[in-house]
């Protein structure tokens, strides 16, 4: 099975993430897409608890159907999330799978600066998804939606219906997430 890996903070996941996932499922030669919420951000960004971000990813992925699942291996690895370590752990856990890493076109030139970049680049193929304002050669550009802006709007009591899938918004409201201003 060929799996596209889509990692991120998902703090919160939004329609840009959902559209990018659907785009890859429908245009790339993959059988499935796994959402990988990071356990602990490499740059010490404040995040909602991992369990809440997993629940939001599950809610977002459910709308995309059975080819999408949430993979929580980064919690098992613990500590700071590093793409190289995650990819190596997944390859060991699923030796019969082929993995590709999905990234936004804005990250294409930054890959060389990632932790263990040379080894990572030798282990996995990349699926580059266009992002608004980034490399126009990457194909269709996903809309410019910002998790930071969504968190700020939630804190201010402003609507986010146009930016967050309904199922994700239900988790945010049920768990009363993004109400304190932490992690903005």
């Amino acid at each position: 099975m060929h799996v596209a890996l889509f990692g991120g903070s998902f703090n919160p996941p939004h329609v840009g993430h959902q559209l990018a996932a659907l785009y890859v499922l429908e245009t790339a030669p993959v059988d499935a897409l796994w959402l990988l919420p990071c356990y602990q951000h490499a740059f010490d960004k404040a995040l909602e608890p991992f369990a809440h971000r997993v629940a939001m990813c599950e809610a977002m992925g459910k709308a995309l159907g059975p080819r999408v699942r949430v993979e929580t291996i980064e919690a098992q690895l613990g500590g700071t999330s590093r793409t190289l370590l995650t990819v190596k752990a997944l390859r060991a856990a699923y030796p019969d799978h082929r993995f590709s890493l999905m990234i936004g076109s804005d990250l294409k030139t930054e890959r060389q600066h990632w932790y263990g970049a040379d080894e990572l680049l030798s282990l996995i193929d990349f699926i580059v998804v266009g992002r608004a304002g980034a490399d126009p050669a990457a194909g269709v550009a996903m809309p410019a939606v910002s998790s930071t802006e969504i968190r700020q709007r939630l804190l201010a009591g402003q609507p986010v219906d146009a930016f967050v899938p309904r199922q994700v918004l239900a988790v945010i409201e049920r768990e009363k997430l993004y109400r304190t201003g932490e992690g903005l």
Side-chain angles (χ1 to χ4, degrees):
M1 175 171 10
H2 186 182
V3 178
L5 302 174
F6 186 8
S9 299
F10 298 113
N11 192 40
H14 51 64
V15 295
H17 295 129
Q18 196 172 43
L19 290 169
L22 180 61
Y23 177 76
V24 167
L25 283 168
E26 295 301 315
T27 62
V30 298
D31 303 303
L33 184 138
W34 294 358
L35 299 167
L36 293 160
C38 77
Y39 183 70
Q40 181 180 333
H41 199 280
F43 303 121
D44 288 329
K45 285 185 183 179
L47 302 171
E48 286 291 340
F50 185 72
H52 291 317
R53 291 180 293 111
V54 167
M56 289 186 286
C57 284
E58 288 171 344
M60 178 184 76
K62 186 175 181 181
L64 296 170
R67 294 184 295 166
V68 175
R69 73 172 238 201
V70 179
E71 172 56 57
T72 60
I73 197 164
E74 290 200 357
Q76 296 163 19
L77 296 172
T80 301
S81 296
R82 299 286 186 186
T83 304
L84 173 63
L85 302 178
T86 302
V87 167
K88 288 171 83 171
L90 287 170
R91 286 170 52 116
Y94 302 95
D96 295 335
H97 287 39
R98 178 175 165 229
F99 295 104
S100 293
L101 186 63
M102 180 179 156
I103 62 169
S105 57
D106 56 321
L107 297 177
K108 190 175 174 184
T109 59
E110 293 179 18
R111 293 180 295 189
Q112 293 77 13
H113 304 293
W114 292 0
Y115 172 85
D118 290 340
E119 185 176 3
L120 179 64
L121 293 170
S122 73
L123 289 178
I124 197 162
D125 294 324
F126 287 80
I127 299 170
V128 179
V129 178
R131 296 222 24 205
D135 182 8
V140 175
M142 296 297 116
V145 182
S146 161
S147 292
T148 300
E149 180 182 345
I150 292 166
R151 291 190 305 270
Q152 291 169 344
R153 292 177 67 84
L154 286 164
L155 183 63
Q158 298 173 335
V160 295
D161 307 59
F163 309 108
V164 179
R166 287 187 313 245
Q167 300 88 343
V168 173
L169 190 54
V171 174
I172 291 170
E173 290 172 351
R174 181 182 70 237
E175 300 297 335
K176 298 177 177 44
L177 303 177
Y178 309 108
R179 301 293 191 245
T180 65
E182 293 180 22
L184 291 180

